[in-house]
Amino acid sequence: MSRWLINIYLLGVKELRSLFADPILLFLIFYMFSFAIYAVATGAKTEIGNAAVAYVDLDQSALTGRIVDAILPPEFEAPQRIALSEVDGVMDRGEFVFVLSFPPRFEADVLSGAHPSLQMNVDATAMTQAGNGSVYLQTIIASEIERFVTGDDTSSNLPIDLVVTAHFNPNLQSIWFNSVMQIINNITILAILLTGAALIREREHGTIEHLLVMPVNATEIMLAKICANGLVIVVGAILSLWLVVQGWLQVPIAGSIPLFVAGTILYLVSVTGLGILLATFTTSMPQFGLLVMPVLVIMNLLSGSTTPIESIPFWLQAIMQGSPSTHFIAFSQAILYRGAGFDTVWPDMLVMAILSTVFFAISLMRFRQTMAGSQ
């Protein structure tokens, strides 16, 4: 047993030396856990911000002026007045996301109870802004009309006092979600890339033949690659959570980081094994990259990281339960967003442990076949 552990340790040290001698991979790791987190967190916002608004005012009344004045930054840019004949042109060119058209006698019809129509043209190619911004504008318009008609800026006709409380992200800032989610996604990406690249590097440099004549077996070689690359990823993720997310972006972490690390280690066994498995079907880094890309796209898009898992078809949900990334994302979100403890996340940890065993066994079997074919 001691000889087995020593072999894994020495092979792991060899893996770390090979990794640290590769400046491209080192830069990739640094970038993925630093600038990539910041860029996605601050750039890929889902809330409405600085949306361009234009309006056509055929009424030119106090009410239309009041509505226009209520459309304010930072959600919207200052509304610009255009002519009715310009609407189609500015929408086709994508100059504005929203164009409001106030008909003649709009204020008079409102006051007389004639229920006039107010047209809102929306550029729905800007999907996030179109959806959220339409709701914002409808709320603004309804509120201003009600205040104008009643003459009371504090009045409300609602029979209830509706109080909205947002848990875990009280200001609904997408940066809180995107920054942490990007770390979770990057763990998957790097785990597959680093372990796969480690095996490809052995082939390209001809060192796989050296390993075959040494007193080590396939299990020791594979475990060394998993442990060495997994260690680098875990350390990078912890530093990114502390320095980038909590320090640079000022995003709070709700739950236990040690518990998150424990689950990450379980997850890495399966996903690093997947990286080795994919690498056994290729002979060069370009082939490996082409094979990895569709796998990563499916794992990231359909595992609940981008949209809730409940939003995809039921049959696809059932298939994705066999992906360790689905359970890792649920596990990570529960801890880092909602502060869940072990009593809440243990089912996901159990499933990850089972899937890790299955993926490791399949990868090891394929890896042995590949090594036997190299002899």
Side-chain angles (χ1 to χ4, degrees):
M1 184 65 178
S2 61
R3 181 75 259 175
W4 187 72
L5 292 175
I6 291 174
N7 287 344
I8 293 175
Y9 169 76
L10 294 176
L11 288 170
V13 171
K14 178 191 75 69
E15 289 295 331
L16 290 175
R17 287 178 176 175
S18 298
L19 177 61
F20 292 146
D22 192 328
I24 301 299
L25 287 180
L26 288 179
F27 174 77
L28 176 65
I29 295 169
F30 175 78
Y31 169 79
M32 293 288 277
F33 282 129
S34 57
F35 181 74
I37 306 297
Y38 177 83
V40 173
T42 58
K45 293 185 177 181
T46 55
E47 64 263 26
I48 188 74
N50 297 319
V53 182
Y55 68 98
V56 177
D57 192 353
L58 301 180
D59 187 36
Q60 301 185 37
S61 62
L63 176 56
T64 58
R66 179 169 181 158
I67 293 173
V68 170
D69 291 340
I71 302 174
L72 300 171
E75 287 81 12
F76 303 97
E77 295 179 356
Q80 299 184 31
R81 186 172 180 176
I82 61 174
L84 181 61
S85 60
E86 298 178 85
V87 173
D88 290 339
V90 297
M91 293 293 287
D92 290 343
R93 292 190 296 271
E95 295 180 15
F96 298 97
V97 181
F98 306 98
V99 176
L100 300 175
S101 295
F102 297 99
R105 293 186 48 81
F106 179 71
E107 178 183 303
D109 289 341
V110 168
L111 293 175
S112 66
H115 300 290
S117 296
L118 168 60
Q119 185 180 62
M120 181 192 303
N121 300 280
V122 182
D123 179 4
T125 57
M127 188 176 64
T128 300
Q129 286 193 331
N132 295 340
S134 296
V135 176
Y136 275 51
L137 286 175
Q138 290 178 57
T139 302
I140 292 172
I141 293 169
S143 177
E144 292 303 319
I145 290 176
E146 178 186 352
R147 291 170 179 166
F148 180 80
V149 171
T150 61
D152 184 1
D153 286 346
T154 62
S155 66
S156 176
N157 293 328
L158 289 176
I160 60 172
D161 184 11
L162 179 63
V163 178
V164 177
T165 302
H167 287 286
F168 317 120
N169 187 358
N171 294 323
L172 303 179
Q173 300 180 61
S174 62
I175 189 173
W176 282 30
F177 175 82
N178 290 338
S179 59
V180 176
M181 200 67 250
Q182 193 62 25
I183 291 179
I184 297 171
N185 288 337
N186 287 351
I187 288 174
T188 300
I189 295 171
L190 286 175
I192 294 178
L193 288 180
L194 292 184
T195 50
L199 180 57
I200 297 296
R201 187 167 55 240
E202 298 274 15
R203 287 179 174 174
E204 291 180 341
H205 294 173
T207 55
I208 190 70
E209 287 78 9
H210 298 168
L211 293 176
L212 293 175
V213 298
M214 294 177 64
V216 295
N217 55 46
T219 304
E220 293 168 348
I221 296 173
M222 185 169 165
L223 281 174
K225 294 184 183 299
I226 289 175
C227 292
N229 291 285
L231 175 63
V232 172
I233 293 170
V234 169
V235 172
I238 294 173
L239 292 177
S240 186
L241 282 172
W242 282 340
L243 301 179
V244 180
V245 175
Q246 292 180 301
W248 192 1
L249 296 172
Q250 298 295 303
V251 175
I253 299 299
S256 168
I257 291 182
L259 181 59
F260 170 70
V261 170
T264 301
I265 293 173
L266 282 177
Y267 173 65
L268 283 174
V269 174
S270 61
V271 77
T272 51
L274 177 60
I276 292 176
L277 177 64
L278 295 175
T280 60
F281 292 100
T282 61
T283 58
S284 65
M285 280 302 296
Q287 288 182 351
F288 178 67
L290 291 174
L291 182 60
V292 163
M293 281 193 293
V295 174
L296 289 175
V297 168
I298 292 174
M299 291 180 70
N300 284 340
L301 291 182
L302 301 181
S303 58
S305 63
T306 305
T307 57
I309 191 72
E310 295 80 10
S311 64
I312 66 177
F314 290 114
W315 64 270
L316 196 51
Q317 291 184 38
I319 293 176
M320 291 306 298
Q321 294 306 308
S323 170
S325 62
T326 301
H327 303 280
F328 178 62
I329 286 172
F331 161 85
S332 302
Q333 290 179 345
I335 293 176
L336 301 179
Y337 292 148
R338 300 187 286 274
F342 179 76
D343 57 329
T344 301
V345 301
W346 72 263
D348 286 314
M349 295 184 73
L350 178 60
V351 174
M352 284 193 293
I354 295 173
L355 290 176
S356 292
T357 303
V358 173
F359 272 76
F360 181 83
I362 296 173
S363 302
L364 179 59
M365 180 177 64
R366 175 64 189 175
F367 184 57
R368 282 174 175 164
Q369 293 174 352
T370 303
M371 290 189 64
S374 300
Q375 292 179 336

